[in-house]
Amino acid sequence: MRIATQHKTAPVRSEQIILFRVSGQLFAVSSASVQEVRGVDTLSATAKEIDLPDLPKVKHFVHRGENSLYVVNAAMHFGLHPAPPSLVFVLRRTRTALLIDSIEKMTTMTRLQALPLAFCHEERSWYRGLTALEQTVVPVIKPDGFLTPDQLFSLDASLLPRESPAIYTASDMEPTP
Amino acid sequence: MTLIAETELQSFVLLRLGDRRFALAAAQIAELVAPSRIFHFPNRTPEIEGVLLRRGRIVPVCDVAEKLIGKTLRSRRFYLIAQRCYGAQTEWIALPVTGDCALINAEMTLPSDTDAPHVGGWLSHGGDVIEVLNLVALTPGPNEISPVLATVHAQEVRN
């Protein structure tokens, strides 16, 4: 009697992603990381201007509950030629709203390759990794990689009322005897 | 009785960049591939030209010609895929080369203190003195891979 061999294959883990474009460049983001997709027009009614010369990629913010959500121009963040954005991704569990050009489609990735170690600069904080889709390589963005804690601190500080600036000196921090 | 001088012959792959030849230890070479499509995406590592897709793996392309011969390669291109060490970890890196490569056996002379960091040694072959390349010094990578980063990287691969 011949017994059929049973092949156990590991279930393929897949993740739903949104492919989107910024200045013609294709990127991917996990759909679970996108809380909301809005048109730029709908955001402009509630957005307020912010001007931090060191951080030109952030020009607006929106109040969300107790927090401020900072609107990051993705083209400027990635050093791409700026194009007029039409959509905003509100990224879940971050304080970032990302200006993008368009959504290409939703699809599924089954393999995420870590960013090769040859990429050794700022981009390591931009991407979760790379995925190959239909013979194309697409970088998968890291939602919390758009604003560093220092940048968020500077942005928050710039929103403090200017009438009563909080000025602390080193002596203020010393314990009182 | 015949005495045979014992020499430490090693295998090397000779590669051509423009008019010059260089060598890499054959043990470091994965394969030589035909011209392939390079994919680009934003990054801040200028030495990396893009990535190519090979056997399901995404391989960074690093043009070392500018560093070695002072100009980038125009008429190429094959890609020599080599293994590059990052601490305890090894990854593929694709080096654009001009034309075919050759496998030779030769004895390597160690580099001197005055040699450039990318020189891993010297070979004498066919009347030429050829540099053996040290990929760690020649191609970009974090200066030192901490065990923490290596762990994170391994997790990223598994995910």
Side-chain angles (χ1 to χ4, degrees):
Chain A
M1 191 175 79
R2 197 173 169 187
I3 301 169
T5 316
Q6 285 188 336
H7 293 284
K8 282 188 180 175
T9 50
V12 178
R13 286 179 61 182
S14 63
E15 186 174 337
Q16 196 170 40
I17 52 173
I18 301 172
L19 296 183
F20 64 97
R21 286 197 184 272
V22 176
S23 301
Q25 172 72 48
L26 196 62
F27 295 91
V29 61
S30 169
S31 58
S33 301
V34 179
Q35 185 179 330
E36 209 176 309
V37 182
R38 297 177 64 166
V40 168
D41 298 343
T42 65
L43 192 78
S44 57
T46 52
K48 293 176 182 171
E49 282 192 18
I50 189 168
D51 183 24
L52 215 61
D54 292 343
L55 209 55
K57 66 183 178 184
V58 181
K59 294 249 185 277
H60 296 91
F61 71 99
V62 183
H63 279 304
R64 276 284 170 103
E66 291 179 357
N67 277 328
S68 301
L69 208 60
Y70 296 107
V71 183
V72 176
N73 185 310
M76 291 180 80
H77 172 80
F78 290 118
L80 297 168
H81 185 72
S86 60
L87 293 173
V88 181
F89 280 159
V90 177
L91 299 175
R92 204 183 297 276
R93 289 188 288 276
T94 72
R95 294 177 61 198
T96 302
L98 192 65
L99 289 172
I100 63 156
D101 297 357
S102 59
I103 289 177
E104 190 86 355
K105 63 175 178 179
M106 287 186 78
T107 185
T108 302
M109 70 171 175
T110 52
R111 184 165 182 247
L112 178 67
Q113 181 179 318
L115 193 67
L117 288 166
F119 292 96
C120 54
H121 293 106
E122 218 177 326
E123 62 272 12
R124 298 211 70 80
S125 60
W126 296 351
Y127 304 125
R128 284 173 59 201
L130 306 172
T131 192
L133 293 169
E134 296 163 9
Q135 294 303 305
T136 297
V137 176
V138 185
V140 181
I141 63 153
K142 201 183 271 186
D144 57 2
F146 290 94
L147 293 169
T148 64
D150 283 350
Q151 289 171 336
L152 282 169
F153 182 81
S154 301
L155 287 163
D156 286 342
S158 74
L159 297 184
L160 290 174
R162 287 180 189 178
E163 295 79 33
S164 55
I167 301 169
Y168 295 104
T169 61
S171 60
D172 293 329
M173 307 303 285
E174 288 170 4
T176 323
Chain B
M1 192 174 82
T2 311
L3 286 176
I4 302 169
E6 269 192 38
T7 53
E8 298 240 348
L9 286 182
Q10 292 173 266
S11 294
F12 294 92
V13 171
L14 293 185
L15 56 113
R16 185 175 284 282
L17 296 174
D19 298 333
R20 287 186 60 188
R21 286 193 298 178
F22 298 89
L24 273 170
Q28 284 181 281
I29 305 301
E31 61 179 325
L32 178 68
V33 301
S36 312
R37 183 179 167 192
I38 295 189
F39 300 94
H40 303 274
F41 57 86
N43 68 80
R44 294 264 193 272
T45 308
E47 301 94 328
I48 299 294
E49 205 177 309
V51 293
L52 55 83
L53 202 49
R54 186 70 187 161
R55 299 178 194 271
R57 288 164 80 162
I58 296 165
V59 185
V61 177
C62 181
D63 191 349
V64 294
E66 190 155 10
K67 244 182 204 176
L68 295 174
I69 60 171
K71 58 184 176 187
T72 54
L73 293 185
R74 290 183 191 277
S75 60
R76 44 176 178 190
R77 321 234 298 200
F78 289 87
Y79 295 98
L80 191 62
I81 298 187
Q83 292 179 333
R84 202 278 201 198
C85 291
Y86 299 90
Q89 206 169 318
T90 301
E91 286 189 4
W92 282 2
I93 192 158
L95 310 175
V97 295
T98 318
D100 292 331
C101 297
L103 182 69
I104 62 159
N105 285 319
E107 190 179 2
M108 187 178 83
T109 307
L110 292 173
S112 69
D113 294 342
T114 54
D115 287 328
H118 72 261
V119 179
W122 297 93
L123 300 181
S124 178
H125 178 76
D128 289 336
V129 176
I130 296 168
E131 285 178 14
V132 179
L133 301 177
N134 171 8
L135 285 184
V136 173
L138 193 60
T139 59
N143 290 335
E144 197 177 321
I145 302 287
S146 69
V148 175
L149 178 58
T151 311
V152 170
H153 193 72
Q155 284 170 350
E156 285 172 354
V157 173
R158 281 197 292 275
N159 289 339

